[in-house]
Amino acid sequence: GSVASDVNIGPNGVLGGAGDIGGDVVVGSGGIVGPGNSPGTLTVAGDFTFASGSTYQVEVLGDGQHDQIVVGGVTTIQSAVQVEVLAGGSAGDYAHLSQYGILTSAGGIVGQFAGVTSDMAFLTPYLVYTTNAVRLDLVRNDIRFNRFALTANQLEVADAAEASGYGADVFDAVVVQNAAGAARAYDALDGQV
C-alpha cells in the first residue's frame, strides 16, 4: 500500500509490509521496522531515521530474496540500533557467502548499526557499508553440524549432512537452522541421508 504522509513508529510499534511512504519515517526507541511481506521492499520518498534503541528486522531467503528499505532522502542511524536477521521460508540454496542489499539511501547514510544478530547457528552475519548502501553478508562459519547433535544417530546424520556440501538438499536444510532446529532436523533427516 501507499502512505502519503510522514510515519512515526513508537515504542513496541512495528512498521511492516511492502509499499511506498511519501514522507519521512522515524522508527522510535523500542520500535521495529520489518519491511516486506515475506520478504519485500519498503520505499520511502523522504528521510528515514532509526532512533537509538530501534530495530531493523531483515528476512532473507536462500534464493536471494530479502527485505530491503529504499530511501529517497538521507538515512540516519543513531546509536544502539540493531539488525536482526531472520531466515525465512524454506532453506533454499544459501551459498558459502550470501549477500543481500538491505538498505539503499539516495541522500547518503549517516551513522552505522550497533550490531547484527541472527538465530542461524551455521551462518554468521556481517554488515558492509558504502556511502549510499548497507549490505548484509551471511558467511558459513566454522561450527560443525555435529556440535548440536544430541544422540549417536543425530551425530551420524549431522556428519553425513555436512559432508553432502552446498547445493545438496540435506546440507541446505541444516545450514540455516538454529541450535535447537539442527537437532530436530537430524531426527527428521534420519533415513534420508
Side-chain angles (χ1 to χ4, degrees):
S2 296
V3 177
S5 60
D6 295 347
V7 175
N8 292 292
I9 306 302
N12 302 316
V14 178
L15 174 60
D20 301 307
I21 296 175
D24 299 336
V25 172
V26 175
V27 183
S29 180
I32 297 171
V33 60
N37 295 310
S38 295
T41 300
L42 179 65
T43 303
V44 178
D47 296 332
F48 198 108
T49 301
F50 289 97
S52 183
S54 62
T55 302
Y56 180 10
Q57 288 184 339
V58 180
E59 186 177 20
V60 298
L61 302 179
D63 64 5
Q65 295 181 68
H66 59 283
D67 288 340
Q68 62 180 325
I69 300 171
V70 177
V71 180
V74 176
T75 298
T76 302
I77 305 168
Q78 297 178 356
S79 64
V81 179
Q82 293 290 324
V83 175
E84 293 179 357
V85 180
L86 310 171
S90 58
D93 185 10
Y94 283 84
H96 185 77
L97 169 63
S98 298
Q99 300 177 318
Y100 306 90
I102 62 170
L103 172 65
T104 58
S105 188
I109 297 172
V110 178
Q112 292 190 348
F113 294 104
V116 57
T117 61
S118 167
D119 65 351
M120 293 180 272
F122 307 111
L123 296 170
T124 301
Y126 298 94
L127 297 175
V128 179
Y129 296 85
T130 64
T131 304
N132 297 92
V134 179
R135 187 183 76 215
L136 167 69
D137 291 354
L138 292 177
V139 181
R140 173 71 172 104
N141 58 35
D142 60 0
I143 295 175
R144 299 291 309 271
F145 282 7
N146 63 22
R147 177 167 171 189
F148 303 109
L150 304 174
T151 67
N153 274 356
Q154 288 180 357
L155 186 66
E156 288 183 26
V157 171
D159 287 341
E162 188 166 17
S164 68
Y166 278 97
D169 289 346
V170 292
F171 184 98
D172 292 344
V174 172
V175 77
V176 297
Q177 298 297 320
N178 60 26
R184 287 192 300 273
Y186 303 146
D187 286 337
L189 292 167
D190 194 7
Q192 296 180 39
V193 178

